[in-house]
Amino acid sequence: MKKPLRIGVSGGAGQICYSLLFSIASGRLFGEDQPVALHILEVTPVLDKLTGVVMELHDCAFPLLSEIVTGDDPHRVFHGVDFVILVGAKPRSKGMERADLLQENAKIFVDQAKALNHNQVKVLVVGNPANTNALVLCHNAADLPVENVRSMMRLDQNRALFQLSKRAKVPVTEVKQVAVFGNHSPTMVVDYHNAVISGKPAQEVIRDDAWLRGEFMMKVQQRGGEVLNARGLSSAASAANAILDSIRDWTQPTAKNDWYSAGIHSKDNPYEIDDDLFFSFAMRDNKRVDGLNWDEELHGRIKKSEHELIQERDQVRKYL
Ligand code: NAX
């Protein structure tokens, strides 16, 4: 039997984890011969609720789940983990300004950075504002290489993949090289210019640039709100699924003629994006895809998303 992989997860009693933890424990992510141990972090008032989630994990009798560690102290809970998925974050409450939300979350990530300040762990930041939270984490964990940290953009990519396949009336597997650029927010940009459908440029197949620039882009940017309005709750199962995809992207070779999106540290980028942000780029085999060209429209939008991230960084400056 292999040694268990130790997976840290924060926000364990929340909606996304109610799907995520069960997928990891079932073996869906790391394979049917890889035992896993779950290290689940929650805030103190929610630990009772987390006990219920743990009972359900036990009641699944997952053969691969070797151990569950829970608690509210990141140093203890994340001790010895190989991979950490930081889902827990403070939501925006009624009347709260965005600047306050950024600062409240920055405090959480400063704290968790101290528990992850070594080079033995990879960290995927999901809790919003995910890109700026990842930046705060890196600035406060000098021994954690920036290459070991990503912010999640894969849900946005998956949303774009589905919309393109629906419009082109082809299976989703025919749609390739779809990356989103910028922030995980409504300023994100789907790069339809370099996307490919059934081996041809997406623009040639769809032949409706107005739709690509307008309705399509907006649909992807606003999809989170659309789900929230319909369900009365924010995206959870699709977010958990995107977390699994993000970790596969990171740990497995990229399929031929394809790439994926991830928020990575922007140092040394060739796109003239500020060099201290977590910014979503196209990635292949864990390397940024360089040399892409965009039309003026897309380039302008990408610069707007960069500007938003710079403003977010300014608002958490005291935590950097
Ligand atoms: P929930 O509010 O259902 O759950 C969040 C959980 O995190 C709560 O149980 C809370 O107690 C816990 N938590 C808060 N602060 C914590 C801390 N310091 N340490 C440990 N746990 C803590 O939210 P859920 O729907 O699960 O979403 C979680 C986060 O993911 C949100 O910030 C959300 O905005 C973000 N998302 C990010 C996405 C992305 O693509 N990057 C997509 C999905 C999602 O919207």
Side-chain angles (χ1 to χ4, degrees):
M1 197 68 167
K2 287 183 178 171
K3 226 174 96 188
L5 260 180
R6 299 195 165 270
I7 312 299
V9 180
S10 71
Q15 301 198 77
I16 293 177
C17 286
Y18 196 63
S19 171
L20 176 70
L21 292 169
F22 294 82
S23 294
I24 297 174
S26 72
R28 225 183 110 197
L29 181 56
F30 295 108
E32 306 226 324
D33 64 343
Q34 176 59 64
V36 287
L38 290 172
H39 293 235
I40 313 173
L41 184 74
E42 251 303 346
V43 288
T44 318
V46 182
L47 285 175
D48 281 349
K49 189 175 167 198
L50 180 59
T51 310
V53 178
V54 171
M55 285 181 208
E56 286 205 64
L57 282 163
H58 287 153
D59 292 348
C60 293
F62 287 121
L64 292 169
L65 182 57
S66 68
E67 190 185 353
I68 303 176
V69 178
T70 60
D72 56 5
D73 173 6
H75 292 268
R76 188 184 68 76
V77 174
F78 290 157
H79 181 73
V81 291
D82 301 295
F83 229 112
V84 175
I85 306 160
L86 296 177
V87 181
K90 211 166 196 155
R92 192 165 180 171
S93 49
K94 231 181 176 172
M96 192 188 220
E97 294 295 327
R98 187 162 166 80
D100 296 333
L101 177 79
L102 280 155
Q103 302 222 359
E104 286 301 313
N105 278 295
K107 284 185 219 158
I108 294 176
F109 284 80
V110 168
D111 205 36
Q112 294 180 357
K114 292 182 190 130
L116 298 169
N117 191 16
H118 57 83
N119 65 6
Q120 307 297 315
V121 65
K122 287 195 166 78
V123 185
L124 178 69
V125 179
V126 177
N128 278 320
N131 301 51
T132 298
N133 288 340
L135 186 71
V136 171
L137 182 87
C138 282
H139 273 258
N140 288 278
D143 295 332
L144 174 65
V146 288
E147 293 75 19
N148 288 21
V149 180
R150 290 187 179 181
S151 58
M152 185 167 89
M153 300 299 293
R154 182 65 203 236
L155 180 56
D156 309 291
Q157 175 185 332
N158 286 349
R159 287 168 172 165
L161 283 170
F162 176 77
Q163 295 302 328
L164 289 172
S165 80
K166 183 176 162 205
R167 172 79 188 206
K169 299 193 176 69
V170 297
V172 83
T173 46
E174 290 292 307
V175 187
K176 307 270 189 215
Q177 297 186 183
V178 177
V180 293
F181 283 79
N183 196 5
H184 171 66
S185 83
T187 67
M188 91 193 57
V189 182
V190 187
D191 177 11
Y192 55 77
H193 190 78
N194 292 291
V196 169
I197 301 177
S198 303
K200 294 192 194 134
Q203 279 170 293
E204 262 180 41
V205 175
I206 293 197
R207 293 182 173 277
D208 187 349
D209 277 10
W211 179 81
L212 286 164
R213 277 199 306 271
E215 202 181 320
F216 163 67
M217 189 75 83
M218 201 145 40
K219 184 91 174 168
V220 179
Q221 290 170 332
Q222 307 287 341
R223 187 63 158 188
E226 207 186 344
V227 171
L228 179 64
N229 287 339
R231 216 170 80 86
L233 290 167
S234 55
S235 310
S238 56
N241 178 67
I243 292 172
L244 305 185
D245 282 341
S246 304
I247 294 175
R248 283 191 203 103
D249 289 339
W250 206 345
T251 54
Q252 296 176 11
T254 309
K256 220 175 148 212
N257 302 331
D258 208 356
W259 54 57
Y260 60 89
S261 320
I264 59 165
H265 192 267
S266 58
K267 67 176 182 163
D268 302 328
N269 79 83
Y271 295 111
E272 294 179 0
I273 298 296
D274 182 288
D275 66 358
D276 188 25
L277 297 174
F278 267 77
F279 198 87
S280 185
F281 293 99
M283 303 283 293
R284 179 191 280 143
D285 290 326
N286 294 331
K287 289 194 189 72
R288 193 183 50 228
V289 177
D290 290 343
L292 296 177
N293 293 308
W294 304 302
D295 58 21
E296 219 172 290
E297 163 85 19
L298 282 177
H299 187 247
R301 288 183 187 223
I302 289 169
K303 293 306 279 182
K304 264 195 199 150
S305 202
E306 176 198 23
H307 181 65
E308 181 183 55
L309 280 167
I310 292 171
Q311 284 181 323
E312 287 189 12
R313 184 180 63 197
D314 288 345
Q315 286 171 329
V316 298
R317 178 67 66 192
K318 69 175 173 193
Y319 297 103
L320 301 180

